[in-house]
């Protein structure tokens, strides 16, 4: 069982859309997106259950057998958020995207739609994830669906993207794969302006920011297999935005009490010249959102801050009125390119 040592350095993940013409969970290892990882907990969890009868082995009292109840593959991954390389994940987490290549740079718009997201031919298909385990081997996960996506940024930090995933299964670990550097990356950083929240005519300078998509997907276990069928949305979806800011904001608290609703927007812009290929921008939007929680308790002598969660609602049939939208400016030709 002992093996050669290996290390987490140079760990990355490759992603590819599976072929909708093939059965769910048919791996596609022609990775179109490859990203370095901050962390990844994707693993197989094989549930092994002792047999139910009362027989034991002699005087030792140990049970005489077991069976496999389920073979699941779940976990999370955390990536650096960039302007150029994360469109694939936004598309897969939200369900739909479109691109406008007439301006410079190009504008890609991501909106909510059914999941798993459609491919270039308009058909639904899951994702193959190849996890290169640092200096060790690669583990290929088949039939991956993205259940949550959380975009987070705080003062002094870069934005990160964390995703919870459900897969059908994985293959035996095997020979390492190679990382391919993208043409562009461009980190989304905390000091990129304006970095503020606009809601109901007010503007809030933020200390931290979190935009979370929860898709309510669930496994589909059945007789005849220890693996899940393709996960589907089985609960209400949710998109929220949680922010922290310094405050003596009587108006915002009053709007919380009054249950006011309005569109919300947070913009990050790298400061590149407007209309040039250096310009990068990402806009996080919520439709008709209300303040779900407002916490600004006083507990010390320093600055008072408020932690506020906005929840989006759908009041239409397309675009932002479906409840949420993310818009990205970069030079990619499509919304799902690696950059």
């Amino acid at each position: 069982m002992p093996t050669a040592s290996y290390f987490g350095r140079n760990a990355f993940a490759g992603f590819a859309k599976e072929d909708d013409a093939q059965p769910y969970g048919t791996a596609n290892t022609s990775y179109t997106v490859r990203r370095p990882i901050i962390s990844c907990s994707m693993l197989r969890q094989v549930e092994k259950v002792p047999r139910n009868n009362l027989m034991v082995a002699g005087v030792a009292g140990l049970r005489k057998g077991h069976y496999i109840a389920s073979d699941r593959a779940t976990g999370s991954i955390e990536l650096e958020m960039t302007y150029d390389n994360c469109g694939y994940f936004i598309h897969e987490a939200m369900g739909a995207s479109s691109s406008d290549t007439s301006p410079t740079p190009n504008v890609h718009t991501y909106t909510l739609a059914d999941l798993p997201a459609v491919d270039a031919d308009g058909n639904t298909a899951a994702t193959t994830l190849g996890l290169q385990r640092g200096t060790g081997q690669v583990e290929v996960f088949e039939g991956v669906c993205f259940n949550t996506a959380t975009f987070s940024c705080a003062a002094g930090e870069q934005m990160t993207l964390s995703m919870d995933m459900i897969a059908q299964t994985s293959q035996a670990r095997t020979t390492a794969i190679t990382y391919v550097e993208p043409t562009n990356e461009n980190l989304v950083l905390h000091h990129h302006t304006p970095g503020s929240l606009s809601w109901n005519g007010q503007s809030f300078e933020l200390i931290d920011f979190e935009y979370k998509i929860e898709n309510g997907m669930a496994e589909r276990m059945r007789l005849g297999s220890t693996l899940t069928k393709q996960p589907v949305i089985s609960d209400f979806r949710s998109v929220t935005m949680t922010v922290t800011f310094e405050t003596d904001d009587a108006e915002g608290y009053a709007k919380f009490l009054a249950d006011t609703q309005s569109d919300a927007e947070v913009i990050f812009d790298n400061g590149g010249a407007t209309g040039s290929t250096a310009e990068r921008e990402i806009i996080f939007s919520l439709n008709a959102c209300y303040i779900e929680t407002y916490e600004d308790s006083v507990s010390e002598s320093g600055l008072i801050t408020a932690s506020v969660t906005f929840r989006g609602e759908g009041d239409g049939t397309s675009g932002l009125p479906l409840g949420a939208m993310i818009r990205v400016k970069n030079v990619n030709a499509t919304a799902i390119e690696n950059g």
Side-chain angles (χ1 to χ4, degrees):
M1 189 125 184
T3 60
S5 298
Y6 65 97
F7 304 91
R9 56 178 179 258
N10 285 330
F12 70 92
F15 302 83
K17 197 73 169 172
E18 295 177 354
D19 187 349
D20 57 272
Q22 300 294 323
Y24 164 68
T26 301
N28 174 16
T29 55
S30 297
Y31 303 114
T32 57
V33 176
R34 302 184 190 217
R35 298 301 303 146
I37 66 171
I38 297 173
S39 64
C40 185
S41 63
M42 199 69 174
L43 289 170
R44 292 269 292 277
Q45 294 99 29
V46 181
E47 183 184 5
K48 302 177 181 181
V49 179
R51 289 176 58 182
N52 290 327
N53 68 60
L54 302 179
M55 296 300 294
V56 297
V59 296
L62 300 180
R63 289 181 181 267
K64 297 181 68 174
H66 70 279
Y67 64 95
I68 294 177
S70 64
D71 187 347
R72 292 181 164 91
T74 60
S76 61
I77 190 168
E78 185 176 17
L79 309 171
E80 297 170 310
M81 185 62 194
T82 69
Y83 292 100
D84 298 89
N85 319 102
C86 294
Y88 183 91
F89 311 114
I90 305 174
H91 175 85
E92 291 297 311
M94 298 194 75
S97 62
S98 62
S99 298
D100 183 356
T101 58
S102 56
T104 301
N106 301 328
V107 178
H108 310 288
T109 302
Y110 305 86
T111 53
L112 295 174
D114 198 10
L115 294 176
V118 298
D119 61 14
D121 301 319
N123 301 308
T124 59
T127 293
T128 294
L129 161 64
L131 176 60
Q132 177 56 50
R133 299 172 56 83
T135 60
Q137 297 180 319
V138 65
E139 186 169 5
V140 176
F141 293 88
E142 308 163 353
V144 174
C145 297
F146 298 88
N147 194 26
T148 71
T150 304
F151 305 82
S152 304
C153 191
E157 299 179 0
Q158 65 186 64
M159 185 179 292
T160 60
L161 169 58
S162 300
M163 297 172 288
D164 292 333
M165 300 170 290
I166 302 172
Q168 183 197 54
T169 189
S170 72
Q171 301 176 3
R173 295 177 183 178
T174 186
T175 307
I177 57 177
T178 303
Y179 183 69
V180 179
E181 294 282 353
T183 303
N184 301 293
E185 282 196 300
N186 293 299
L187 295 173
V188 182
L189 299 175
H190 71 101
H191 58 76
H192 288 175
T193 58
S196 59
L197 167 68
S198 300
W199 180 77
N200 194 47
Q202 292 182 271
S203 181
F204 303 89
E205 292 185 342
L206 304 181
I207 297 171
D208 56 43
F209 159 83
E210 178 186 277
Y211 188 91
K212 186 171 187 178
I213 302 165
E214 298 175 281
N215 288 320
M217 303 189 79
E219 297 170 318
R220 299 164 60 202
M221 308 303 291
R222 79 282 188 199
L223 298 179
S225 177
T226 58
L227 308 179
T228 180
K229 294 180 70 176
Q230 183 166 300
V232 295
I233 297 174
S234 62
D235 199 354
F236 294 108
R237 296 171 83 177
S238 167
V239 186
T240 57
M241 186 186 297
T242 299
V243 297
T244 303
F245 51 87
E246 297 175 6
T247 185
D248 59 356
D249 172 38
E251 183 178 353
Y253 186 64
K255 299 302 183 186
F256 164 60
L257 299 177
D259 195 27
T260 300
Q261 289 187 255
S262 181
D263 294 349
E265 183 177 272
V266 173
I267 303 174
F268 291 85
D269 188 311
N270 74 339
T274 301
S276 75
T277 56
E279 182 187 9
R280 296 291 187 273
E281 184 180 77
I282 183 167
I283 303 174
F284 297 91
S285 302
L286 284 182
N287 180 70
C289 63
Y290 60 92
I291 299 177
E292 184 176 55
T293 62
Y294 193 108
E295 165 58 41
D296 65 347
S297 57
V298 181
S299 60
E300 56 184 31
S301 62
L303 288 167
I304 296 174
T305 61
S307 177
V308 181
T309 297
F310 297 84
R311 181 175 294 275
E313 288 188 334
D315 59 11
T317 58
S318 64
L320 179 59
L322 285 169
M325 184 170 69
I326 298 175
R327 182 173 286 128
V328 179
K329 287 184 181 180
N330 59 38
V331 295
N332 295 341
T334 72
I336 59 173
E337 285 191 18
N338 191 43

